[in-house]
Each structure stands twice: as structure tokens, then as C-alpha cells.
Amino acid sequence: GFFQSYAVEVDIKDASNATCLYADWMMRFLITYESNNGDYKTTTLNLSSSVTHNGSVCGNDTQAALVALQFGEGHSWSINMTKNNETYQGDFITLTYNTNDTAVFPDAKRKGPVTVSVRDPFRPVQLNTVFVCHNSFFIEAENVTEIYWNVTVQAFVQNGTVSKKESRCPADTPTSAPTVPPTTANVTTASTTTLAPAPTAAPKPVENPDTGNYSLKSGNKTCFLATVGLQLNVSQDKPLVININPKTTIADGACGNTTATLKLNDGNSTLIGF
């Protein structure tokens, strides 16, 4: 599914009204919870249009910087970042979701706030450098899948000015070698024989997806088994066809008494739930 989510921009000022911490990003959360009848369901928690950042602090050499958000019906999110010599790094990402929010958790068995924390997975960033990650990435935290994209963050901003120097996340880094353009040194001189123009190649058809075997266990017993090839055809300005690669796809989820949920994460911005 595709869900509406709002961008968040936080610009924290110090005592002199200069920017000391800047962050701009988008995120949403897939949460598996137990319903009143014992089934496990997966719901989507999005940021609302109204977000506050009470409690956010600049940080310094001895105190961690903190971005703290409050949104929706009793939900909150935060990340603390520390400075060490010439770098800064996120420590813990903490999400508190409130199952009393019946719009998101209409039949939750457990009522009230639930807090999950996970370590920031990224390496340290040089001071006076912005961390940027345009592509989406996933963080698993207990029964929550956290999805982030279009991220721009700089902690411990110097002189009140956000840096132009960027540190990119692995998801934004090309994995294939760039194409080398022809030069006079690597082009062989062709003969002067006139050749007929080559026929226009027909569009290459999309290959069928490979078949994957995905399973979940409850204890030592398999409770969910799917053998399937998956292809997504997304209708947008330019149609997009995505084949799910079983070799790079991770299966996760939960089984209940009458309902099972299978989550497939291909590690490349695509998350599918059954």
C-alpha cells in the first residue's frame, strides 16, 4: 500500500537565536499488534499534519543533542545525538505509540503507550557536515518497522549556518561502476563505408519474477508458507514495474489464532504486507 505521510522540518535555535540543530525528513511506521480476539494485525502509523517538537535541545560537548516530536493521539518519536572529537552520531531512536488511538489501533488488546528503542545504524558524520539520505531505508525494532526517506540532518551546527558539505547514506550510493564516455583515446576509427541505419530496438519486455519461498515460524513450527513470484506494476506518471528478488528479500511477520501477517522487505525501498 501507499500511504500519506507528512514531511517534518525542525530548526532548533540556541540562546543567541542561531540554528544549532537542523533536520528535515519523512517517516512512517508499520506496527504489528495483538487484537482483542488474539489475532496479530499490522497497521500503519503516519505523521499527522500537526507536529510539535517540545523538548528538543541543541546539545554541546557534554550534553547530547535531542530531536523530540509529538504527533497524533499521544504518539512521540525522538533521536539523541552525541559529539565525539570531530564527529557526531545518532545514539538511540525511540518511538512511543499509543494503542488508545482507535483510528490506528481499532481493536488493540493492550491499551496505552508502548515504547521501542533501537540504535541508530549509521556511521559517525564529520562535524560541519550534513547527513543526507534521499532513498528510503528500514529499521527493525521489535514489532515495528520504521521507514525513513528524504532525510537531511545536521547536529551541532557551527556559526548558525547549515553546511553545504554532505555525507550520503549507503542507499544513496551507486553500486555499479559509471559508464565511461567515449574519448579520442578509446574510440577506434571506423571505415568510411556507408552503413544503413540500425533498426530501432523494440522495448525490452520485463522478465517474469523469480519464485521465492517465504515462511514464518511460531516456535519450531511453520505457521505461514508462501511460494510465489511477485511483480509490482505501479501506475504513476511513468509506469513502474518492480520484480521482487527472493535472494535479497527478508520475510518477517507474526501468526495469530485466526490471522497471520507476512512482511516482505526487499532491501530496496519496497515493503509488501500480506
Side-chain angles (χ1 to χ4, degrees):
F2 295 86
F3 306 97
Q4 174 68 41
S5 190
Y6 294 89
V8 183
E9 184 178 25
V10 177
D11 189 348
I12 308 300
K13 307 287 187 178
D14 61 16
S16 62
N17 202 35
T19 296
C20 61
L21 192 158
Y22 179 81
D24 185 6
W25 76 102
M26 299 185 75
M27 63 182 177
R28 65 171 173 260
F29 309 95
L30 301 183
I31 302 172
T32 301
Y33 69 98
E34 186 178 6
S35 67
N36 287 320
N37 60 7
D39 296 336
Y40 285 87
K41 298 182 178 181
T42 298
T43 188
T44 301
L45 175 62
N46 291 308
L47 289 178
S48 61
S49 58
S50 177
V51 178
T52 58
H53 52 82
N54 299 324
S56 299
V57 295
C58 295
N60 51 42
D61 291 342
T62 59
Q63 180 186 13
L66 177 69
V67 178
L69 302 183
Q70 304 82 37
F71 61 97
E73 300 296 325
H75 312 296
S76 62
W77 178 95
S78 67
I79 181 172
N80 63 311
M81 291 169 280
T82 54
K83 181 166 61 170
N84 183 15
N85 296 326
E86 299 300 320
T87 65
Y88 66 92
Q89 183 177 24
D91 289 333
F92 284 95
I93 300 171
T94 301
L95 169 70
T96 297
Y97 59 91
N98 186 4
T99 57
N100 287 321
D101 184 352
T102 56
V104 181
F105 307 94
D107 55 352
K109 181 177 181 179
R110 176 181 177 180
K111 297 296 185 181
V114 181
T115 299
V116 294
S117 293
V118 64
R119 281 194 174 276
D120 185 332
F122 294 108
R123 63 182 184 272
V125 179
Q126 290 291 317
L127 290 174
N128 199 32
T129 303
V130 179
F131 173 79
V132 176
C133 195
H134 293 309
N135 286 288
S136 60
F137 59 91
F138 304 84
I139 300 176
E140 298 290 340
E142 299 180 20
N143 60 328
V144 178
T145 299
E146 304 180 5
I147 308 172
Y148 301 89
W149 68 103
N150 289 345
V151 176
T152 301
V153 177
Q154 184 181 354
F156 308 101
V157 175
Q158 300 175 7
N159 301 319
T161 303
V162 177
S163 176
K164 301 296 184 182
K165 183 180 179 182
E166 295 183 352
S167 174
R168 288 299 187 103
C169 66
D172 284 3
T173 304
T175 56
S176 58
T179 303
V180 179
T183 65
T184 55
N186 62 17
V187 175
T188 303
T189 303
S191 67
T192 56
T193 304
T194 302
L195 301 176
T200 302
K204 183 179 179 180
V206 177
E207 298 177 353
N208 289 331
D210 294 333
T211 300
N213 295 300
Y214 310 104
S215 63
L216 300 177
K217 287 186 177 295
S218 178
N220 59 0
K221 294 183 179 180
T222 298
C223 60
F224 195 122
L225 178 64
T227 300
V228 60
L230 291 170
Q231 182 179 91
L232 307 182
N233 193 325
V234 184
S235 298
Q236 50 186 22
D237 293 339
K238 182 179 180 181
L240 176 65
V241 178
I242 304 171
N243 282 345
I244 303 302
N245 183 0
K247 295 180 180 179
T248 59
T249 298
I250 299 173
D252 194 8
C255 296
N257 294 332
T258 60
T259 302
T261 299
L262 175 67
K263 295 188 294 183
L264 300 179
N265 179 355
D266 77 340
N268 190 32
S269 307
T270 305
L271 188 69
I272 306 172
F274 294 92

